[in-house]
Amino acid sequence: MNDHHHATTYVPKSAFAKWFESRLPIAGLIHSSFVAFPVPRNLNYFWTFGGVLFVMLVLQIVTGVILAMHYTPEATKAFDSVEHIMRNVNYGWLLRYLHANGASMFFVAVYIHIFRNLYYGSYKAPREVLYILGVIIYLLMMATAFLGYTLPWGQMSFWGATVITNILAAIPVVGDAIQSLLWGGYSVGNPTLNRFFSLHYLLPFMIVGVVILHVWALHVPGNNNPAGIDIQSGRDAVPFHPYMTVKDGFSLVVFLIFFAWWVFYMPNYLGHADNYIPANPAVTPAHIVPEWYFLPFYAILRAIPDKLGGVIAMFGSIVVLALVPWLDTSKVRSAVYRPIYKQFFWIWVVVCVILGWLGAKPAEGGYVIAARIATAYYFAHFLVIMPLIGFFEKPKPLPRSIVDSVLGPGASRIPVGAAAAPQAKG
Amino acid sequence: MADAVVSTAEPTRRDFLYLATTAAVGVGAAATVWPLVGAMAPDADTVAAGAPVELDLTPIAEGQIVKVFWRGKLIFVRHRTEAEIKAAQDVNLDALRDPQPDSARVKEGHADWLVVYGNCTHLGCVPLGNSGEYNGWFCPCHGSVFDTSGRIRQGPAPINLPIPPYTFVSDTKIRIGESGATA
Ligand code: HEM
Ligand code: FES
């Protein structure tokens, strides 16, 4: 079953399809990747967020391209052009609320997707490259969302841009040059806004490129699954269509309802009121807080009392994610069979949430101390706890096969034909 | 290796072409990247907008802080009171993170005027005047505290608020963006 070089089972029907397929076999590629592609039969709903993420990316691009038709990337006009979108452009309010809340929903989905990988050990061999491509997508998403948030040129846009570009200036030797190239001036200003818009338009398409590599790297070993064991026989797998297409579709609908609830009932809840005040370089808002999806990293940045140290810790907290395939020393993938790792995984999730909460609090007194402890624990989880658990933990016995894990031990000996095969019914 | 020596004329010419082409591509790539990156540096307008600005000090009352912009950067001009000057001078320099006597941060004979950049040296927020433990500035972003000389006293900012180039044209007028002979 691990034979990924299987010839496609796609059979072109019409004369045109035959003619085309022999010149560009793209229908066969799509068929073998998204129709006949075998997936483990035990995938749960955590495996539907890849599809959700793909739809969110497309939605951000579609709403973004239309917003860009009405938006003016010029420091004296940007704020007004966003208000123009909100008031004068047909459905402009909808496009903007979809785009702004869509960014948040994109991060909701990516966090679920990342936590899923860490719980079920999807980063382990042979999926390390697939996983690292995912971390790269996450970094590009963060850059894109940050750049987009500066575009309305409100107070939070301006001061967020100021704080983040100042963070980059802490990089030794090249920091000042990078800052000046990003600013295009001596401070955040019109040239900065112009280039941020250009880059905000560019990066999503780079994400599309990396997503293609990500899916390619996925289709070499195939999906991991809740049991964390490989497909051994045909009965461990089901074809992607209709099994996963239906599951993905259902999940997507539920997710879009959740998304719509924000868009239509509390479209500004996830934003900041200060961003409805035009940018003013002479006054900083009393409380600068990044968007919720950056809060844990912001807490880590502020926890370190040294400028460069804080920057290193913040970037380090993401770099360490990319090293997880080599920090986890256990041979067992899924936390379902790892009694100790499972507990530490949940402690780590709680620590991430606490960091997020601290990121929104003022950096003073007890909050700073708590942020330091949580930051230390965050790194200890990856650098100390993860490598050690692999040596000490006694995993639970693994099921003999995926079928066994679903239908109970011995199921792999039940004759074939027991499972339904809706895909065979045309 | 030995092969290369034996088969002479032809491969040598090819080797030359290969090396020459690689070198040309390398130089060409560098020559292309240069203007691409250069185009992101501050443009001529932005640089020209850095012409010095003059500021009349007469309307600024004692204890008042005025904000001006030069090159798009915020600058505080503070008319210090006797008490503020004294507080800035009576400081044990060893206790400072970025030790600098107050006399090095003002122009000689003009101790009542403090002119500093108005962005926190931590991450660039605008600190609030007349607040914080030393009644200098307090940065609301991450809690840096500056004294009445603009020196960092507490919090994450690494250095004092820098002094822009400026000069006294007369007793009541300064020109920012130009360090005169008295500097
Ligand atoms: C990865 C996909 C994307 C993400 C995560 C993203 C994120 C964001 C965010 C957070 C904002 C600020 C919204 C606000 O508070 O008003 C924004 C604004 C904007 N984005 Fe995007 N964006 C993406 C793709 C795109 C694309 C492909 C375009 C096409 C040009 C685009 C064009 C715009 C425009 C014109 C604005 C300013 C209007 C506004 O503020 O609503 N975006 N984006
Ligand atoms: S920007 Fe002033 S303390 Fe961070």
Side-chain angles (χ1 to χ4, degrees):
Chain A
M1 243 311 144
N2 264 340
D3 164 29
H4 46 271
H5 299 291
H6 51 263
T8 178
T9 49
Y10 169 71
V11 185
K13 292 201 180 83
S14 70
F16 172 75
K18 281 196 191 100
W19 178 88
F20 195 87
E21 191 67 4
S22 62
R23 283 156 181 79
L24 180 65
I26 192 167
L29 179 67
I30 291 171
H31 184 89
S32 58
S33 307
F34 303 106
V35 179
F37 189 73
V39 296
R41 64 188 293 160
N42 58 342
L43 295 188
N44 61 29
Y45 274 103
F46 287 111
W47 264 265
T48 60
F49 284 87
V52 169
L53 282 163
F54 183 73
V55 172
M56 291 311 295
L57 177 59
V58 172
L59 200 72
Q60 287 303 96
I61 291 178
V62 171
T63 51
V65 167
I66 301 176
L67 283 170
M69 296 173 186
H70 302 278
Y71 169 79
T72 314
E74 207 272 332
T76 57
K77 302 197 178 92
F79 186 88
D80 291 346
S81 78
V82 171
E83 285 312 303
H84 160 77
I85 290 172
M86 295 297 289
R87 293 153 200 247
N88 302 338
V89 174
N90 297 326
Y91 302 105
W93 59 272
L94 179 60
L95 286 170
R96 171 154 186 261
Y97 282 155
L98 282 172
H99 196 77
N101 287 281
S104 274
M105 294 303 117
F106 204 167
F107 278 93
V108 168
V110 88
Y111 284 133
I112 295 175
H113 195 69
I114 293 174
F115 285 130
R116 186 275 320 256
N117 294 331
L118 292 171
Y119 187 82
Y120 293 111
S122 301
Y123 47 82
K124 290 186 196 185
R127 297 184 181 83
E128 304 93 320
V129 171
L130 163 63
Y131 172 78
I132 288 174
L133 286 167
V135 176
I136 293 172
I137 293 171
Y138 176 49
L139 277 171
L140 288 171
M141 275 175 67
M142 293 204 278
T144 308
F146 159 69
L147 294 166
Y149 194 63
T150 61
L151 301 184
W153 214 238
Q155 275 289 67
M156 280 295 174
S157 300
F158 184 90
W159 291 103
T162 300
V163 167
I164 301 295
T165 49
N166 272 298
I167 287 178
L168 297 175
I171 299 170
V173 190
V174 290
D176 285 332
I178 293 179
Q179 190 184 40
S180 158
L181 290 179
L182 279 176
W183 282 351
Y186 304 101
S187 58
V188 172
N190 184 52
T192 323
L193 175 59
N194 258 299
R195 61 198 57 192
F196 277 17
F197 179 56
S198 171
L199 295 174
H200 183 66
Y201 211 132
L202 169 70
L203 289 193
F205 295 93
M206 292 181 64
I207 295 179
V208 170
V210 185
V211 166
I212 291 172
L213 296 181
H214 191 69
V215 174
W216 186 4
L218 166 68
H219 284 191
V220 175
N223 292 87
N224 183 32
N225 61 78
I229 53 179
D230 293 331
I231 292 177
Q232 291 152 17
S233 76
R235 287 189 311 138
D236 287 341
V238 288
F240 189 85
H241 179 75
Y243 291 94
M244 266 330 263
T245 42
V246 166
K247 202 173 183 110
D248 277 350
F250 180 72
S251 180
L252 181 66
V253 168
V254 174
F255 190 84
L256 290 179
I257 291 172
F258 175 66
F259 178 19
W261 175 67
W262 291 100
V263 169
F264 293 106
Y265 290 95
M266 36 208 317
N268 287 305
Y269 186 83
L270 295 169
H272 298 285
D274 278 296
N275 221 23
Y276 282 102
I277 303 170
N280 178 355
V283 182
T284 307
H287 219 74
I288 299 209
V289 189
E291 295 286 87
W292 70 266
Y293 37 82
F294 292 136
L295 288 174
F297 302 106
Y298 197 56
I300 292 176
L301 169 79
R302 300 190 305 180
I304 314 290
D306 175 78
K307 183 166 164 179
L308 179 61
V311 173
I312 292 173
M314 188 180 70
F315 284 113
S317 64
I318 298 166
V319 171
V320 81
L321 281 179
L323 301 178
V324 162
W326 295 277
L327 291 171
D328 186 343
T329 50
S330 170
K331 292 270 177 297
V332 177
R333 290 198 191 106
S334 172
V336 173
Y337 304 103
R338 300 189 58 194
I340 315 242
Y341 173 75
K342 186 195 260 179
Q343 294 173 34
F344 280 99
F345 169 84
W346 287 113
I347 296 176
W348 176 73
V349 172
V350 171
V351 167
C352 289
V353 174
I354 292 176
L355 276 171
W357 177 72
L358 289 168
K361 293 283 161 196
E364 51 195 38
Y367 294 130
V368 177
I369 296 166
R372 288 195 186 139
I373 296 170
T375 301
Y377 187 86
Y378 178 96
F379 283 102
H381 175 82
F382 292 108
L383 300 174
V384 182
I385 298 172
M386 228 184 200
L388 286 185
I389 294 179
F391 292 118
F392 296 123
E393 181 183 55
K394 188 177 176 312
K396 291 197 216 158
L398 294 175
R400 285 192 26 218
S401 69
I402 291 175
V403 187
D404 278 14
S405 82
V406 180
L407 303 175
S412 25
R413 283 184 293 267
I414 295 169
V416 199
Q423 78 279 9
K425 298 199 174 91
Chain B
M1 273 293 143
D3 279 4
V5 180
V6 177
S7 45
T8 44
E10 273 286 287
T12 315
R13 240 166 61 190
R14 204 164 280 161
D15 282 354
F16 172 76
L17 279 176
Y18 182 74
L19 286 174
T21 312
T22 313
V25 168
V27 172
T32 313
V33 168
W34 187 265
L36 293 182
V37 174
M40 290 178 70
D43 57 33
D45 295 24
T46 311
V47 176
V53 290
E54 288 198 350
L55 181 71
D56 180 10
L57 301 178
T58 35
I60 308 174
E62 224 182 74
Q64 198 184 352
I65 302 172
V66 167
K67 293 173 177 179
V68 289
F69 283 94
W70 173 63
R71 273 177 158 186
K73 284 191 86 91
L74 181 65
I75 290 170
F76 292 138
V77 178
R78 181 171 186 149
H79 192 172
R80 302 194 292 182
T81 62
E82 280 304 324
E84 287 170 352
I85 299 171
K86 195 166 176 324
Q89 288 169 344
D90 294 347
V91 164
N92 173 12
L93 292 190
D94 296 337
L96 297 181
R97 182 174 305 166
D98 182 7
Q100 249 187 335
D102 187 57
S103 55
R105 299 181 51 80
V106 293
K107 302 286 178 197
E108 222 184 306
H110 297 287
D112 47 342
W113 294 101
L114 178 73
V115 182
V116 288
Y117 278 117
N119 292 97
C120 180
T121 54
H122 181 225
L123 296 177
C125 294
V126 178
L128 307 169
N130 297 317
S131 42
E133 199 180 320
Y134 299 88
N135 236 348
W137 282 271
F138 171 75
C139 183
C141 288
H142 319 100
S144 288
V145 178
F146 300 88
D147 64 16
T148 52
S149 190
R151 289 171 300 202
I152 177 67
R153 301 301 289 269
Q154 282 169 17
I159 55 169
N160 302 336
L161 293 178
I163 316 273
Y166 74 99
T167 164
F168 275 86
V169 210
S170 71
D171 273 351
T172 56
K173 193 177 252 177
I174 57 170
R175 185 182 290 141
I176 298 172
E178 200 177 86
S179 34
T182 51

